Amino acid sequence: MLYNRTKNIMNNKIGVIFDLDGVIVDTAKYHFLAWKNLADALGFEFTKKHNELLKGVSRVRSLDILLSIGNVKLSEEKKQEFLVCKNKEYLEFIKKMNSSEILPGALELLNTLDALGIKYVLGSASKNAPLILKQVGLFNRFAGIVDGNSVSKAKPDPEVFLIGAEKLNLQPEQCIVFEDAIAGIEAANTANMISIGVGDKETLEKADFHFESLTEVTANFIKELVKRVS
Ligand code: BG6
Ligand code: MG
């Protein structure tokens, strides 16, 4: 057992954990439409700026944030009803997704990692992650999937990424995380992983590295990280 583990670490110096929403695909626009419909029904305004607060946050927590924006209090029963309703609407958008919605640079980065023999898994807060990956034709590319169904604590808790490291058979320090949300960067940092922010630099200031888009991530950058971890 110990021998196998040591051997794995020697062979795979590094592994990658990808967030899904906002890194591989842009689903925030669909979450926005579905949450906005709920806010409209409850009679308050929900803007794109408000939607930023929900990035990387679990579905249940998102509803609580939304309700606090509208200053609305609901029973647990009603909340459950709205959560089901919101997800139904969201899924209508997801079912229409295809590979054209993969974000620029994502496919190229997966190809680069394959070429370098570096394994990658998904580490997402979304309970819909497997369906989304299937829709865009990427489900079989990942060595493992950790999603909102596999965790008991949501980001910024590091649980999702620590399970990801286990799936990669690596120590946390050997994992690099691509994330677009503050909660995700915090989770990666707490897990003692290398955090890479994708998106707005100011928002993701706590990330170890930052790129505006995955199109900027080169094979050389990945090779440098492998050296750094060795
Ligand atoms: C995250 C999104 O990836 O997943 C959040 O950034 C979303 O906005 C969360 O709330 C949960 O998603 P789902 O698909 O389970 O409702
Ligand atoms: Mg995200």
Side-chain angles (χ1 to χ4, degrees):
M1 181 66 191
L2 182 65
Y3 170 72
N4 278 343
R5 188 158 182 84
T6 312
K7 194 174 162 211
N8 267 326
I9 290 171
M10 302 278 283
N11 289 347
N12 307 306
K13 295 202 171 76
I14 203 170
V16 176
I17 307 177
F18 284 99
D19 174 46
L20 176 67
D21 298 313
V23 173
I24 305 281
V25 286
D26 174 20
T27 42
K29 58 188 178 202
Y30 301 135
H31 279 298
F32 173 69
L33 292 171
W35 285 129
K36 187 169 165 22
N37 276 347
L38 178 57
D40 286 348
L42 291 169
F44 63 89
E45 201 189 359
F46 181 71
T47 65
K48 287 204 166 158
K49 202 165 172 211
H50 288 139
N51 198 49
E52 289 299 308
L53 301 171
L54 310 187
K55 283 190 177 171
V57 173
S58 74
R59 193 183 307 169
V60 172
R61 176 89 188 104
S62 294
L63 177 63
D64 284 339
I65 295 173
L66 181 109
L67 294 177
S68 70
I69 290 167
N71 211 5
V72 173
K73 296 218 174 358
L74 293 178
S75 66
E76 276 312 309
E77 201 186 353
K78 208 70 192 150
K79 279 196 207 173
Q80 282 309 319
E81 198 184 297
F82 284 138
L83 283 172
V84 171
C85 195
K86 181 267 170 182
N87 198 50
K88 259 193 197 156
E89 263 190 56
Y90 176 65
L91 287 178
E92 289 307 311
F93 296 112
I94 298 307
K95 283 179 200 153
K96 292 185 198 128
M97 286 181 86
N98 59 42
S99 61
S100 69
E101 296 202 44
I102 297 173
L103 281 168
L107 216 45
E108 292 78 357
L109 180 54
L110 299 188
N111 292 341
T112 299
L113 295 173
D114 286 345
L116 293 171
I118 295 173
K119 282 210 285 181
Y120 44 88
V121 296
L122 195 83
S124 167
S126 172
K127 294 187 170 177
N128 297 306
L131 174 67
I132 296 171
L133 285 180
K134 280 177 195 154
Q135 285 296 128
V136 301
L138 290 178
F139 185 75
N140 292 322
R141 297 283 302 258
F142 289 81
I145 290 176
V146 192
D147 63 17
N149 302 296
S150 354
V151 294
S152 57
K153 287 169 257 159
K155 299 173 189 174
D157 190 280
E159 185 184 14
V160 63
F161 295 143
L162 291 173
I163 300 175
E166 274 172 25
K167 286 201 186 277
L168 287 165
N169 216 352
L170 292 173
Q171 300 299 317
E173 312 84 66
Q174 295 174 292
C175 297
I176 65 174
V177 173
F178 285 91
E179 251 298 344
D180 73 313
I182 301 172
I185 294 295
E186 256 182 70
N189 291 345
T190 306
N192 211 10
M193 298 179 178
I194 298 170
S195 59
I196 305 190
V198 186
D200 181 59
K201 190 168 184 171
E202 260 175 54
T203 313
L204 304 169
E205 61 178 1
K206 296 217 174 105
D208 294 320
F209 298 91
H210 168 263
F211 297 96
E212 285 297 327
S213 137
L214 289 184
T215 54
E216 297 166 9
V217 184
T218 62
N220 272 342
F221 170 75
I222 303 289
K223 284 182 200 163
E224 283 304 315
L225 285 183
V226 175
K227 275 193 219 155
R228 188 179 144 135
V229 169
S230 313

